[in-house]
Amino acid sequence: QNKLSLTSLYAGVGFGKKPPNEAPKKEKKFVKGNAVRAEKRLKQAYGGDIAKGTTDRIAQALRTLEPPELREAAFLYRDISLWDAHHAEATLLPDTILDQMSDPDEDGRRDRLYELYDQLDKTPRDMHNLYQRVTWDASADAKAFRAAVSKMNENVEGAVNKACQQMKGRSLDVGCGYGAIVPNLRDVPAITEMVGIDLSSEMIKNARQRFGQGTFSFEVAD
């Protein structure tokens, strides 16, 4: 898989390293030409198709898991989660994918997954966190770029700003991702220090590249 350089992705589009001890500045607006070039680099890093590239990155990451039982459990968890989400109408899968899937309760795959949980001394929550980390790692560069070139929904941003204004002193952003609400937090003078934590090391890399200096720091943690 092509590995996207954060420095090359954000070069010329308002990010990049700030000199030490310099006060954090607001992100610059994307210049249209720079944004187009950055998106082109992003697509290249994902093999030309971001959606397919993300899926391929997830599968590749799952294939590297050890021991083999954990790898099997991760693939079972992925497929069963897709099946369950579709039938709960949380997401609608295309017929081309559904035709390749079978009911995990009828073919024994759900039972097999729970056998693997026992063998590995894992819980469904453990597997959820593992799969979440893999998924966010795979999509981190794309999600961070999209956030940088688009605006938050006005209603959502209003609610976020209202919540942020109540924060003060040392603050912790759990599940910070690529730093989605950092622009809102930077306008709150009462915050003296903010630490963001996330399961995904790739999300943390993006957050550090965009905002990780001065008052703001980011760490991988669950």
Side-chain angles (χ1 to χ4, degrees):
Q1 294 291 327
N2 291 327
K3 199 64 178 175
L4 185 65
S5 162
L6 296 174
T7 302
S8 66
L9 172 62
Y10 294 133
V13 290
F15 300 120
K17 206 81 169 180
K18 293 184 177 67
N21 302 321
E22 181 179 335
K25 298 177 181 178
K26 290 187 177 181
E27 292 178 89
K28 298 176 183 177
K29 296 287 186 181
F30 267 84
V31 177
K32 184 175 181 180
N34 289 338
V36 170
R37 287 191 291 273
E39 185 169 17
K40 183 178 180 180
R41 289 194 295 270
L42 181 71
K43 287 183 176 179
Q44 289 174 343
Y46 278 84
D49 184 315
I50 293 174
K52 183 178 182 302
T54 299
T55 300
D56 291 345
R57 286 184 177 194
I58 292 170
Q60 178 60 31
L62 296 182
R63 284 193 289 269
T64 65
L65 293 174
E66 293 291 346
E69 291 81 6
L70 180 61
R71 183 163 60 248
E72 181 186 358
F75 276 107
L76 284 172
Y77 179 88
R78 179 196 65 178
D79 295 345
I80 292 171
S81 295
L82 287 172
W83 177 271
D84 289 346
H86 176 80
H87 286 83
E89 298 186 349
T91 183
L92 295 179
L93 298 172
D95 290 339
T96 52
I97 294 180
L98 280 176
D99 289 343
Q100 302 173 38
M101 300 178 72
S102 58
D103 188 332
D105 292 309
E106 291 185 358
D107 62 20
R109 284 181 299 151
R110 198 183 301 274
D111 289 339
R112 174 57 179 162
L113 178 57
Y114 276 86
E115 288 176 7
L116 290 168
Y117 286 158
D118 290 338
Q119 290 181 32
L120 296 163
D121 193 24
K122 299 287 185 184
T123 67
R125 173 58 60 182
D126 293 331
M127 193 56 60
H128 169 83
N129 287 345
L130 183 152
Y131 190 71
Q132 189 85 338
R133 174 179 58 77
V134 168
T135 301
W136 283 105
D137 279 352
S139 60
D141 295 329
K143 287 181 180 295
F145 175 78
R146 295 299 182 199
V149 298
S150 60
K151 289 196 66 175
M152 189 182 292
N153 174 278
E154 287 186 9
N155 292 332
V156 173
E157 186 166 27
V160 169
N161 282 331
K162 184 176 180 180
C164 289
Q165 291 299 324
Q166 300 177 39
M167 300 172 68
K168 59 183 179 180
R170 300 180 66 194
S171 301
L172 179 66
D173 183 2
V174 179
C176 65
Y178 47 78
I181 66 170
V182 170
N184 309 82
L185 291 168
R186 291 208 287 195
D187 293 330
V188 182
I191 295 177
T192 58
E193 181 183 1
M194 199 285 292
V195 178
I197 62 173
D198 199 276
L199 285 170
S200 168
S201 60
E202 292 298 316
M203 284 289 182
I204 291 298
K205 283 182 183 178
N206 274 277
R208 286 173 176 166
Q209 177 70 18
R210 298 175 70 194
F211 307 113
Q213 53 251 310
T215 304
F216 301 89
S217 61
F218 303 90
E219 301 294 337
V220 178
D222 60 19

